């Protein structure tokens, strides 16, 4: 596809960025000759992979990119096919998507909303990307999801855990395979009560953006409902690397649990600082002091090393699950890259396959056909067992994992152990739940 083809089908106008973290609306138009934005006419179709290749979440983004590349190989009939062999939908045949070879372009979100919008804009306008996938920040996900809604392309979200993504900021052109902050709270609270008791005093350190805010809100609500008291909640800048000044006040707060609503490099650094202050050696209120990390990844656990031992948290997926979809993906990823995949890798891999499958079932790349194929779609064979894409908000519902830092790891990848597989029924909520209130899913935008 030539640049002139892209320009003719989906012209991107404006896109100026004003102020830190504030992007002006981007206006997309398309000629009347085009049925939808970037309609493929040649023998290939281009997907855009937008991940943090630099910044505090770069480890997650690089793993996502490996998985996305693997998904493209499997769609094009290369390698062992991975989850195409286990996916309950049998629409994908390993001959691309709708007979067109899958190609891809990449962008670096830098874990910044403006940079993520700019890279997605470029992939759509200059490269003819018809779908955007990726991201390891809810701030980024919300920004790119809004852009894709305006552009008339599908956004298959990567790692985004804030309630807002499928709550007040939900969009008809966007879908999330990852779980959310509410689900973490619903899965974690019973385990925390069983292991730590119902009379605890918690102190929260929270990344100061939409994911951290909704994670804090969800954990506070779920723990207070079982009897815990919240002593304090303190916001920390996303760019922080040293959390010592935030850890010190915890010692004199009367709290006996520290909740780190941090992710990626932030969590590695804040946990390391907490250990350096000797928090886990303290006895407060006649209780052994505890630390909780509500959202985990294997890459974070590896980065934290010994400090992670025994620390509880939740996960979207883990390579140690024994369902057929997980085993197929872990085998393919491990043979190609020499390591197990992270849960951020798995969600991006699954999202690429789900998009391709929806196109096949709909018989079109038209975003509105894809939306119709995904809404209310139930499937299995991609990990975590049976899964539903709820039509009301485009949130994925499946089992949620509660995990613990491995106490006696046997190798470099044995960092986390699964404590409980929380059934989907325990983490399901009504579409109008107060934590997800506001916003409007709206209607699919094909861009024409």
């Amino acid at each position: 596809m030539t640049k002139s083809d892209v320009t003719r089908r989906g012209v991107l106008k404006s896109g100026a960025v004003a102020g830190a973290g504030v992007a002006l609306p981007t206006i997309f138009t398309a000629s009347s000759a085009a049925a939808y934005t970037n309609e493929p006419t040649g023998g290939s179709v281009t997907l855009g992979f937008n991940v943090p290749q630099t910044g505090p979440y770069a480890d997650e983004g690089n793993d996502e990119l490996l998985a996305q590349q693997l998904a493209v190989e499997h769609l094009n009939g290369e390698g062992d096919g991975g989850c195409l062999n286990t996916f309950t939908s049998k629409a994908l045949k390993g001959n691309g998507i709708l007979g067109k070879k899958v190609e891809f372009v990449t962008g670096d979100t830098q874990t910044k909303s403006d940079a993520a919008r700019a890279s997605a804009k470029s992939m759509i306008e200059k490269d003819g990307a018809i779908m955007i996938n990726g991201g390891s920040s809810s701030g980024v996900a919300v920004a790119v999801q809004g852009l894709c809604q305006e552009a008339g392309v599908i956004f298959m979200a990567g790692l985004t855990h804030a309630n807002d993504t499928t709550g007040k900021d939900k969009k008809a052109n966007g879908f999330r395979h990852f779980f959310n902050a509410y689900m973490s709270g619903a899965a974690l609270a019973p385990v925390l009560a069983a292991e730590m008791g119902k009379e605890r005093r918690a102190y929260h350190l929270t990344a100061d953006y939409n994911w951290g805010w909704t994670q804090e809100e969800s954990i506070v609500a779920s723990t207070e409902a079982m009897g815990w008291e919240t002593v304090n909640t303190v916001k920390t800048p996303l760019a922080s690397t040293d959390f010592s000044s935030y850890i010190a006040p915890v010692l004199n707060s009367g709290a006996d649990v520290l909740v780190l609503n941090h992710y990626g490099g932030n969590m590695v650094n804040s946990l390391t600082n907490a250990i350096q202050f000797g928090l886990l050696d303290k006895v407060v209120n006649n209780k052994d002091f505890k630390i909780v990390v509500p959202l985990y990844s294997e890459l974070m656990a590896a980065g934290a090393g010994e400090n992670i031992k025994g620390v509880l948290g939740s996960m979207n997926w883990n390579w140690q699950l024994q369902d057929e979809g997980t085993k197929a993906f872990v085998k393919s990823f491990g043979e190609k890259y020499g390591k197990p995949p992270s849960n951020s890798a798995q969600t991006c891999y699954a999202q690429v396959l789900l998009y391709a499958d929806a196109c096949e079932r709909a018989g079109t790349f038209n975003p509105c056909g894809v939306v119709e194929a995904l809404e209310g779609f139930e499937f299995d064979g991609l990990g975590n067992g049976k899964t539903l894409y709820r039509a009301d908000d485009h949130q994925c519902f499946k089992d949620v994992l509660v995990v613990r830092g491995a106490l006696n790891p046997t190798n470099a990848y044995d960092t986390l152990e699964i404590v409980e597989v929380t059934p989907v029924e325990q983490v399901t909520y009504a579409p109008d739940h107060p934590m997800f209130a506001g916003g409007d899913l709206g209607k699919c935008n094909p861009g024409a």
Side-chain angles (χ1 to χ4, degrees):
M1 181 179 290
T2 66
K3 185 175 179 180
S4 61
D5 287 330
V6 175
T7 304
R8 174 170 55 82
R9 292 188 177 89
V11 180
L12 182 61
K13 296 181 179 179
S14 183
V17 174
V22 180
L24 294 177
T26 304
I27 302 172
F28 291 84
T29 63
S31 75
S32 59
Y36 49 89
T37 301
N38 292 337
E39 178 182 359
T41 57
S44 65
V45 59
T46 301
L47 308 182
F49 298 148
N50 205 24
V51 304
Q53 300 179 53
T54 57
Y57 294 173
D59 286 348
E60 306 289 338
N62 291 328
D63 223 41
E64 288 178 342
L65 190 54
L66 296 179
Q68 290 161 332
Q69 293 169 340
L70 184 62
V72 169
E73 289 184 12
H74 291 166
L75 290 174
N76 286 332
E78 302 167 3
D80 62 7
C83 288
L84 267 65
N85 301 314
T86 59
F87 192 15
T88 50
S89 173
K90 300 303 179 186
L92 297 171
K93 305 301 182 186
N95 62 344
I97 308 175
L98 294 174
K100 297 182 184 294
K101 182 179 179 181
V102 182
E103 298 179 346
F104 67 90
V105 291
T106 69
D108 180 8
T109 70
Q110 304 173 42
T111 320
K112 297 176 181 178
S113 297
D114 288 348
R117 281 181 66 101
S119 58
K121 169 181 180 263
S122 177
M123 288 187 282
I124 295 167
E125 180 186 22
K126 297 179 180 178
D127 302 306
I130 198 166
M131 182 273 275
I132 302 296
N133 167 249
S136 293
S137 156
S138 291
V140 162
V142 167
V144 175
Q145 181 166 260
L147 179 95
C148 289
Q149 181 70 33
E150 298 162 11
V153 301
I154 293 293
F155 177 57
M156 300 297 281
L159 195 164
T160 168
H161 191 240
N163 294 337
D164 294 350
T165 307
T166 46
K168 69 180 184 62
D169 294 308
K170 57 184 176 288
K171 301 294 182 188
N173 282 40
F175 290 85
R176 169 159 60 178
H177 190 71
F178 212 71
F179 72 148
N180 58 45
Y182 173 90
M183 294 174 175
S184 284
L188 266 174
V191 178
L192 295 177
E195 296 208 3
M196 301 181 190
K198 296 183 178 181
E199 296 181 0
R200 283 282 185 167
R201 307 185 76 225
Y203 191 112
H204 289 250
L205 293 181
T206 300
D208 193 11
Y209 73 106
N210 64 343
W211 168 69
W213 306 332
T214 62
Q215 179 64 91
E216 176 190 289
E217 178 189 25
S218 299
I219 297 298
V220 166
S222 61
T223 54
E224 288 186 352
M226 68 184 188
W228 285 24
E229 177 186 347
T230 303
V231 173
N232 201 1
T233 58
V234 177
K235 305 299 188 288
T236 63
L238 184 59
S240 297
T241 56
D242 185 349
F243 294 86
S244 299
S245 62
Y246 296 100
I247 300 294
V250 178
L251 294 168
N252 299 316
S253 68
D256 47 48
V257 177
L258 173 62
V259 181
L260 295 175
N261 298 302
H262 290 156
Y263 195 76
N266 287 163
M267 190 287 293
V268 172
N269 291 330
S270 63
L271 178 61
T272 298
N273 290 152
I275 299 299
Q276 289 171 341
F277 272 81
L279 288 187
L280 289 181
D281 298 324
K282 304 293 184 184
V283 176
V284 181
N285 305 323
N286 296 316
K287 301 177 179 69
D288 291 336
F289 197 96
K290 298 292 184 181
I291 298 175
V292 177
V293 177
L295 180 59
Y296 253 133
S297 84
E298 300 88 345
L299 300 173
M300 289 160 52
E306 291 281 319
N307 295 335
I308 211 71
K309 287 187 175 183
V311 176
L312 286 167
S314 68
M315 290 185 77
N316 181 65
W317 173 90
N318 184 275
W319 66 272
Q320 297 172 90
L321 289 170
Q322 292 301 303
D323 62 274
E324 294 305 311
T326 292
K327 290 192 288 186
F329 176 54
V330 170
K331 177 178 179 293
S332 293
F333 192 98
E335 289 179 351
K336 184 171 181 63
Y337 301 118
K339 63 177 184 177
S342 64
N343 71 160
S344 54
Q346 188 270 343
T347 201
C348 282
Y349 175 87
Q351 286 285 60
V352 175
L353 263 56
L354 284 162
Y355 169 78
D357 174 77
C359 292
E360 291 282 354
R361 289 186 292 110
T364 181
F365 291 101
N366 188 311
C368 294
V370 174
V371 168
E372 186 175 349
L374 285 172
E375 286 186 337
F377 181 46
E378 295 183 84
F379 58 91
D380 204 340
L382 295 184
N384 295 63
K386 293 181 179 179
T387 304
L388 166 69
Y389 266 36
R390 187 162 68 181
D392 303 82
D393 49 13
H394 296 184
Q395 173 63 50
C396 164
F397 287 89
K398 57 186 184 298
D399 295 345
V400 169
L401 308 183
V402 176
V403 296
R404 184 198 325 272
L407 296 172
N408 298 294
T410 57
N411 58 63
Y413 303 109
D414 182 24
T415 54
L416 297 167
E417 58 187 45
I418 298 173
V419 176
E420 180 174 287
V421 178
T422 306
V424 63
E425 295 80 12
Q426 185 175 318
V427 300
T428 299
Y429 52 88
D432 61 352
H433 187 283
M435 288 187 186
F436 298 84
D440 181 14
L441 190 66
K443 296 181 179 179
C444 165
N445 176 25

